[in-house]
Amino acid sequence: MIEPTLKYVPCPGPAAAGATAQEGHRMAYWEWNDTGDPRHPHVIVCAHGLSRQGRDFDTLARRLCRHARVVCPDVAGRGRSDWLADPMDYQLPVYAADMLALLGQLHQQAPIATLDWVGTSMGGLLGMAICGVPDLPLPAPVRRLVLNDVGPCLEWQALQRIGQYLGQPVHFDSLQQAADALWAVSSTFGPHTPQEWLELSRAMVRPAPQGGFVLHYDPAIAVAFRALTPEAASAGEQQMWQLYDRIAAQVLLLRGTQSDLLSPQTAQQMTARGPRARLVEFAGVGHAPTLLHDDQVDVVARFLLDGQGEPAA
């Protein structure tokens, strides 16, 4: 079974004390390529949610990497990436700058001719920023954008729910204990077998110095998130709609029918304005679809790979 290669890109902005980077910080990313061409010109970036990491996309990446280079970053402060010196830097502008550094490095290594983006929750907001901010130095315009259970308007109650557990100090004696605890706050992801959830949880923890496991991310990612007010969220919503309306890429919008973050009204509005997203909903799933099961993977693969052994979506 193909496995990804762990790589790093230097990014601007200071890392927390003790990080490996001498200047700036390093962002880790997992690169998948089963095309037979290490310089394949089609790149698909898969960006994860707020408290997740790049290995969330393993199942999808194995499907896509037969046709493209698939790159799954660990956003700063998560997974194998450096933690940031200033907790208030854990916000979209810094993440977007890191993604531009990543795309620049990938393009330098092997020219990118076709660029696609898959973003779950926060990763989708990043995708909207990458696609909607004019004049960004992209190596190629984003051709197709998958927004996984996210839009310009985020429901305030869902943000409050996430804030209740984000960044809480926890310690686990075993991987199974960690998986059980993560399921308690992630059951909205929809039905998964115990083995599926255990595998999804494996990269969500790291060994603790005192033994056992702790969560893989910097608890300080919660600082800027908890500083968000309803008024600031409303102002941010207007900015995100402006970004969305400027998107030129084809857009596939995924939504769990039980999502508390992306409302049916927002999803419908996204199909009627801007890039007029194509909406696909998954029954029995809330926020957010894990892109692990065949029905979810098939929809994304067909959208991104039509003409490459996949029927058009």
Coordinates of all heavy atoms in Angstrom, one line a residue, residues 49-80:
G49 N -9.3 20.5 8.8 CA -10.1 21.4 9.7 C -9.3 21.9 10.9 O -8.1 21.6 11.1
L50 N -10.0 22.7 11.7 CA -9.4 23.5 12.7 C -8.5 22.7 13.7 O -7.3 23.2 13.9 CB -10.5 24.2 13.6 CG -10.1 25.0 14.7 CD1 -9.3 26.3 14.3 CD2 -11.3 25.5 15.6
S51 N -8.9 21.6 14.2 CA -8.1 20.9 15.2 C -7.6 19.5 14.6 O -7.2 18.7 15.4 CB -8.9 20.6 16.4 OG -10.0 19.8 16.2
R52 N -7.5 19.4 13.3 CA -7.2 18.2 12.7 C -5.8 18.2 12.1 O -5.0 19.1 12.5 CB -8.2 17.8 11.6 CG -9.7 17.8 12.1 CD -10.0 16.6 13.0 NE -9.7 15.3 12.5 CZ -9.9 14.2 13.1 NH1 -10.5 14.2 14.3 NH2 -9.6 13.0 12.5
Q53 N -5.4 17.4 11.1 CA -4.1 17.4 10.5 C -4.2 16.6 9.2 O -5.2 16.1 8.8 CB -3.1 16.7 11.5 CG -3.6 15.5 12.3 CD -4.0 14.4 11.5 OE1 -3.2 14.0 10.6 NE2 -5.1 13.8 11.7
G54 N -3.0 16.7 8.4 CA -3.1 16.3 7.0 C -3.3 14.8 6.8 O -3.8 14.4 5.7
R55 N -3.1 13.9 7.8 CA -3.4 12.5 7.6 C -4.9 12.2 7.6 O -5.2 11.0 7.3 CB -2.7 11.7 8.7 CG -1.1 11.8 8.6 CD -0.5 11.4 7.3 NE -0.8 10.1 6.8 CZ 0.1 9.0 7.1 NH1 1.2 9.2 7.8 NH2 -0.2 7.8 6.6
D56 N -5.7 13.2 7.8 CA -7.1 13.0 7.7 C -7.5 12.5 6.3 O -8.6 11.9 6.1 CB -7.9 14.3 8.0 CG -8.3 14.4 9.4 OD1 -7.9 13.5 10.2 OD2 -8.9 15.4 9.8
F57 N -6.7 12.9 5.3 CA -7.0 12.7 3.9 C -6.4 11.4 3.3 O -6.4 11.2 2.1 CB -6.6 13.9 3.1 CG -7.3 15.1 3.4 CD1 -6.7 16.1 4.2 CD2 -8.6 15.4 2.9 CE1 -7.3 17.3 4.5 CE2 -9.2 16.6 3.3 CZ -8.6 17.5 4.1
D58 N -5.9 10.5 4.2 CA -5.2 9.3 3.6 C -6.1 8.5 2.6 O -5.6 8.1 1.6 CB -4.8 8.4 4.8 CG -3.6 8.8 5.5 OD1 -3.2 10.0 5.3 OD2 -3.1 8.1 6.3
T59 N -7.3 8.2 2.9 CA -8.2 7.4 2.1 C -8.4 8.1 0.7 O -8.3 7.6 -0.4 CB -9.5 7.1 2.7 OG1 -9.2 6.3 3.9 CG2 -10.4 6.3 1.8
L60 N -8.8 9.4 0.8 CA -9.0 10.2 -0.4 C -7.7 10.3 -1.2 O -7.7 10.2 -2.5 CB -9.5 11.6 -0.1 CG -9.7 12.5 -1.3 CD1 -10.8 12.0 -2.2 CD2 -10.0 13.9 -0.8
A61 N -6.6 10.6 -0.5 CA -5.3 10.7 -1.2 C -4.9 9.5 -2.0 O -4.3 9.5 -3.1 CB -4.2 11.2 -0.2
R62 N -5.1 8.3 -1.4 CA -4.7 7.1 -2.1 C -5.5 6.9 -3.4 O -5.0 6.4 -4.3 CB -5.0 5.9 -1.1 CG -3.9 5.7 0.0 CD -4.0 4.4 0.7 NE -2.9 4.3 1.6 CZ -3.0 4.5 2.9 NH1 -4.2 4.9 3.4 NH2 -2.0 4.4 3.7
R63 N -6.7 7.4 -3.4 CA -7.6 7.3 -4.6 C -7.1 8.3 -5.6 O -7.0 8.0 -6.8 CB -9.0 7.6 -4.2 CG -10.0 7.7 -5.4 CD -10.4 6.4 -6.0 NE -11.5 6.5 -6.8 CZ -12.8 6.4 -6.4 NH1 -13.1 6.1 -5.2 NH2 -13.8 6.6 -7.3
L64 N -6.8 9.5 -5.2 CA -6.4 10.6 -6.1 C -5.0 10.5 -6.6 O -4.7 11.0 -7.8 CB -6.6 12.0 -5.5 CG -8.0 12.3 -5.0 CD1 -8.0 13.7 -4.3 CD2 -9.0 12.4 -6.2
C65 N -4.1 9.9 -5.8 CA -2.6 10.0 -6.2 C -2.2 9.1 -7.3 O -1.1 9.2 -7.8 CB -1.8 9.8 -4.9 SG -1.7 8.0 -4.5
R66 N -3.1 8.4 -7.9 CA -2.8 7.6 -9.1 C -2.8 8.6 -10.3 O -2.3 8.2 -11.4 CB -3.8 6.5 -9.3 CG -3.8 5.5 -8.2 CD -4.6 4.2 -8.6 NE -6.0 4.4 -8.9 CZ -6.9 4.3 -8.0 NH1 -6.7 4.0 -6.7 NH2 -8.2 4.5 -8.3
H67 N -3.4 9.7 -10.1 CA -3.6 10.7 -11.2 C -3.0 12.1 -11.0 O -2.9 12.9 -11.9 CB -5.1 10.9 -11.5 CG -5.9 9.6 -11.6 ND1 -5.9 8.9 -12.8 CD2 -6.6 8.9 -10.7 CE1 -6.7 7.8 -12.6 NE2 -7.1 7.8 -11.4
A68 N -2.5 12.3 -9.8 CA -2.0 13.7 -9.5 C -1.0 13.6 -8.3 O -1.0 12.6 -7.5 CB -3.1 14.6 -9.2
R69 N -0.2 14.6 -8.1 CA 0.5 14.8 -6.8 C -0.5 15.3 -5.8 O -1.1 16.4 -6.0 CB 1.6 15.8 -7.0 CG 2.8 15.3 -7.9 CD 3.6 16.5 -8.4 NE 4.4 17.1 -7.3 CZ 4.9 18.3 -7.3 NH1 4.8 19.1 -8.4 NH2 5.5 18.8 -6.3
V70 N -0.7 14.6 -4.7 CA -1.6 15.1 -3.7 C -0.8 15.5 -2.5 O 0.0 14.8 -1.9 CB -2.6 13.9 -3.3 CG1 -3.6 14.4 -2.3 CG2 -3.3 13.4 -4.6
V71 N -1.1 16.7 -2.0 CA -0.3 17.4 -1.0 C -1.2 17.7 0.2 O -2.2 18.5 0.0 CB 0.4 18.6 -1.5 CG1 1.2 19.3 -0.4 CG2 1.4 18.2 -2.6
C72 N -0.9 17.2 1.4 CA -1.8 17.3 2.5 C -1.0 18.0 3.7 O -0.3 17.3 4.4 CB -2.3 16.0 3.0 SG -3.2 15.0 1.7
P73 N -1.1 19.3 3.8 CA -0.3 20.0 4.8 C -0.8 19.8 6.2 O -2.0 19.6 6.4 CB -0.4 21.5 4.4 CG -1.6 21.6 3.6 CD -1.8 20.3 2.9
D74 N 0.1 19.8 7.2 CA -0.3 20.0 8.6 C -0.2 21.5 8.8 O 0.9 22.1 8.9 CB 0.7 19.3 9.5 CG 0.6 17.8 9.5 OD1 -0.4 17.3 9.1 OD2 1.5 17.1 10.0
V75 N -1.4 22.2 9.0 CA -1.3 23.6 9.2 C -0.5 24.0 10.4 O -0.5 23.2 11.4 CB -2.8 24.2 9.3 CG1 -2.8 25.7 9.6 CG2 -3.5 23.9 7.9
A76 N 0.1 25.1 10.5 CA 1.0 25.5 11.6 C 0.3 25.3 12.9 O -0.9 25.5 13.1 CB 1.3 27.0 11.4
G77 N 1.1 24.7 13.8 CA 0.6 24.4 15.2 C -0.1 23.0 15.3 O -0.5 22.6 16.4
R78 N -0.1 22.3 14.1 CA -0.8 21.0 14.1 C 0.2 19.9 13.6 O 1.1 20.2 12.9 CB -2.0 20.9 13.2 CG -3.2 21.7 13.8 CD -3.2 23.1 13.4 NE -4.5 23.8 13.6 CZ -4.7 25.1 13.5 NH1 -3.7 25.9 13.3 NH2 -5.9 25.6 13.7
G79 N 0.0 18.7 14.0 CA 0.7 17.6 13.4 C 2.2 17.7 13.6 O 2.7 18.0 14.7
R80 N 2.9 17.6 12.5 CA 4.4 17.7 12.5 C 4.9 19.1 12.3 O 6.1 19.3 12.2 CB 5.0 16.8 11.4 CG 4.5 15.3 11.5 CD 5.1 14.6 12.8 NE 4.7 13.2 12.8 CZ 5.5 12.2 12.2 NH1 6.6 12.5 11.6 NH2 5.1 11.0 12.3

